[in-house]
């Protein structure tokens, strides 16, 4: 939240993500134990966002939590929620994404039309659909928790009257920074394993087509492509 925040390759004049060496403040570095290899290390940042969202959902063991959007962040949120002992449900739109979620061991996977009429103690919107923040508010139980981590390309409005009358807690999650250390510990301990999200590993010579949206030949169903320089 710092006004002077600087990010490599994003803003603040810190180019050099493809350089052989890059100077960053020591305070920004996080040591990776031997059990967290390069693949897991590359997934620490999205994991930090997801961990913060799962913590904001604050599920007690046995609570029912619904995640809207089974993309990278949504699946990571679901993994952290599952590790906390929650009963995790996911809602998506495409059969391929829903099938992939099932392959990760999530039994309660739905489309918007098939979401069961059951109480959800927490709902996390990890989608980019402008209509889903309001749906999340509709689906959460009175006294429950809402977490907004997805961003739509246009305004995504909710009715604050419903927010008040249902007496729910709504939290927005922006950055991974406060959750990086805890994510590293979770990966190291094996309580959350994001490796299945990586569909393929490519070298720098293949980055161009990947960034343009192409899927490498023979890649798996996961949403992430790992770059091995």
């Amino acid at each position: 939240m710092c006004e002077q925040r600087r990010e490599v390759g994003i803003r603040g004049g810190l180019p050099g993500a493809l350089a052989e060496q890059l100077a960053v403040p020591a305070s920004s570095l996080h040591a990776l134990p031997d059990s967290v290899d390069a693949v897991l290390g590359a997934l620490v940042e999205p994991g930090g966002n997801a961990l913060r969202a799962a913590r904001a959902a604050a599920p007690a063991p046995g609570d029912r939590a619904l995640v809207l959007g089974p993309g990278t962040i949504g699946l990571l949120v679901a993994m952290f929620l599952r590790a906390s002992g929650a009963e995790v449900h996911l809602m998506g739109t495409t059969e391929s994404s829903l099938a992939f979620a099932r392959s990760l061991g999530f039994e309660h996977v739905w489309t918007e039309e098939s979401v069961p009429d059951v109480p959800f103690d927490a709902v996390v919107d990890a989608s980019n659909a402008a209509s889903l923040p309001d749906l999340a508010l509709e689906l959460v139980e009175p006294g429950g928790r809402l977490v907004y981590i997805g961003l739509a390309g246009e305004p995504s409005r909710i009715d604050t009257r419903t927010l008040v009358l249902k007496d729910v807690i709504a939290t927005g999650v922006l950055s991974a920074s406060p959750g990086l250390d805890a994510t590293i510990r979770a990966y190291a301990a094996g309580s959350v394993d994001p490796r299945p999200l990586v569909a393929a590993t490519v070298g720098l010579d293949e980055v161009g087509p990947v960034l343009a949206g192409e899927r490498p030949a023979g890649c798996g169903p996961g949403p992430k492509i790992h770059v091995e320089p």
Side-chain angles (χ1 to χ4, degrees):
M1 305 305 297
C2 176
E3 291 183 358
Q4 282 76 45
R5 180 183 175 100
R6 305 169 75 197
E7 297 183 64
V8 175
I10 298 177
R11 61 181 179 181
L14 283 176
L18 293 179
E20 291 186 8
Q21 293 183 322
L22 177 66
V24 297
S27 59
S28 297
L29 301 178
H30 297 261
L32 298 181
D34 292 340
S35 56
V36 178
D37 60 14
V39 174
L40 290 176
L43 291 168
V44 166
E45 191 277 337
N49 281 285
L51 177 139
R52 291 190 64 211
R55 285 183 169 178
D63 275 4
R64 185 180 290 116
L66 173 65
V67 179
L68 309 181
T72 298
I73 297 296
L75 289 170
L76 283 167
V77 172
M79 290 178 178
F80 280 109
L81 288 170
R82 179 169 60 186
S84 73
E87 178 187 303
V88 181
H89 295 242
L90 288 125
M91 191 194 88
T93 56
T94 67
E95 181 51 41
S96 59
S97 66
L98 298 178
F100 182 64
R102 293 188 192 98
S103 75
L104 299 177
F106 295 105
E107 300 178 10
H108 310 292
V109 178
W110 319 101
T111 62
E112 184 172 342
E113 294 73 26
S114 66
V115 172
D117 184 17
V118 297
F120 292 106
D121 302 288
V123 179
V124 179
D125 175 26
S127 76
N128 60 2
S131 62
L132 291 193
D134 187 58
L135 179 63
L137 177 56
E138 177 186 330
L139 293 173
V140 72
E141 276 290 281
R145 285 86 58 197
L146 282 173
V147 184
Y148 294 113
I149 191 171
L151 285 174
E154 58 188 90
S156 49
R157 296 181 172 88
I158 63 172
D159 189 338
T160 57
R161 295 171 298 179
T162 305
L163 187 75
V164 172
L165 292 171
K166 295 184 82 169
D167 202 4
V168 301
I169 295 172
T171 304
V173 173
L174 172 65
S175 75
S177 299
L180 295 180
D181 282 331
T183 299
I184 292 168
R185 290 195 298 270
Y187 289 178
S191 59
V192 170
D193 182 6
R195 294 175 192 276
L197 302 184
V198 178
T201 298
V202 301
L204 288 177
D205 57 332
E206 300 173 85
V207 167
V210 168
L211 293 178
E214 296 183 20
R215 301 278 287 182
C219 72
K224 301 297 284 186
I225 307 297
H226 179 69
V227 178
E228 174 54 69

